[in-house]
Amino acid sequence: MMRSIPPRLRAPVNMLVGGAVIDAIAATVHGPAVLLYFVPITLAAAAGYYVLGGREGDFPDMLRSQSDERQAYRQLKIQALVGRVTTGAAAIAFLIAFAAKATIWPFLLFLTIPCATSFAGWLIYRERPGAGEQHAGH
Amino acid sequence: MRNRVREQRVQLGLSQAELGAALGVSRQTVISIENGRYLPSLPLAFRIARFFDLTVDKMFDPDDEETGP
């Protein structure tokens, strides 16, 4: 479905759909009054992404899903940084919650997910020996 | 690592955007390669060399170490 949407519109459409879901959940839980704050934020974010998507640069190219190898590599490094910082923050939050004798399972969950994902990554992206490839010493 | 991308591009009278379009990369990536801030992958290095009708080792000089990707 996303392929039928012009590249420049993909990120804004994602934001609108995701925002609409969040808005609906917020309205259900807290009442329709919260939409006065949530809907403008969703619309502004989608519009902002649309405007950015029309410009030249690494970020607009990424928004249009038109990253070249350097931009994809940069994106990977950014994602890795986000992962490291998030995991570090979860570890610190876990220690604080543990010391304060607060509920620790949410923080434990956020620590378990990166560990499990890391293990899954080693399995998914492992190098498989090609046909006819021999191990050293054989 | 030094390269001759800028020199060859100027010789052909191409803009960075035109070279980027020919190689299938962005103008920013051409700028980064020309400035030695980004080392292209082997397939892209071959595309660049073939575009200028040169060999990869004529295009990129590994003796002059600058920056990695």
Side-chain angles (χ1 to χ4, degrees), chain A residues 37-121:
Chain A
Y37 307 103
F38 277 60
V39 170
I41 292 170
T42 306
L43 293 176
Y49 267 63
Y50 181 77
V51 172
L52 269 175
R55 297 191 176 169
E56 191 199 31
D58 290 350
F59 190 62
D61 283 347
M62 190 197 77
L63 289 182
R64 292 191 297 264
S65 308
Q66 292 173 334
S67 301
D68 62 27
E69 63 169 49
R70 183 186 62 83
Q71 292 162 332
Y73 180 64
R74 196 177 165 200
Q75 212 175 324
L76 268 180
K77 287 201 288 187
I78 292 166
Q79 284 170 352
L81 177 68
V82 170
R84 279 198 292 267
V85 170
T86 308
T87 307
I92 292 167
F94 171 77
L95 289 175
I96 292 170
F98 187 74
K101 292 183 179 159
T103 311
I104 57 166
W105 72 262
F107 304 106
L108 201 60
L109 180 70
F110 278 108
L111 276 177
T112 310
I113 290 171
C115 292
T117 311
S118 180
F119 181 69

Side-chain angles (χ1 to χ4, degrees), chain A residues 1-7 9-10 13:
Chain A
M1 183 201 155
M2 286 305 284
R3 285 182 186 277
S4 61
I5 300 172
L9 281 174
R10 283 177 199 163
V13 166

Side-chain angles (χ1 to χ4, degrees), chain A residues 11-25 42:
Chain A
V13 166
N14 278 337
M15 294 221 89
L16 281 178
V17 172
V21 172
I22 293 169
D23 293 353
I25 293 168
T42 306

Side-chain angles (χ1 to χ4, degrees), chain A residues 56-57 61 68-71, chain B residues 26-29 38 41 44:
Chain A
E56 191 199 31
D61 283 347
D68 62 27
E69 63 169 49
R70 183 186 62 83
Q71 292 162 332
Chain B
S26 65
R27 188 174 71 88
Q28 288 78 21
T29 295
Y38 177 69
S41 67
L44 179 55

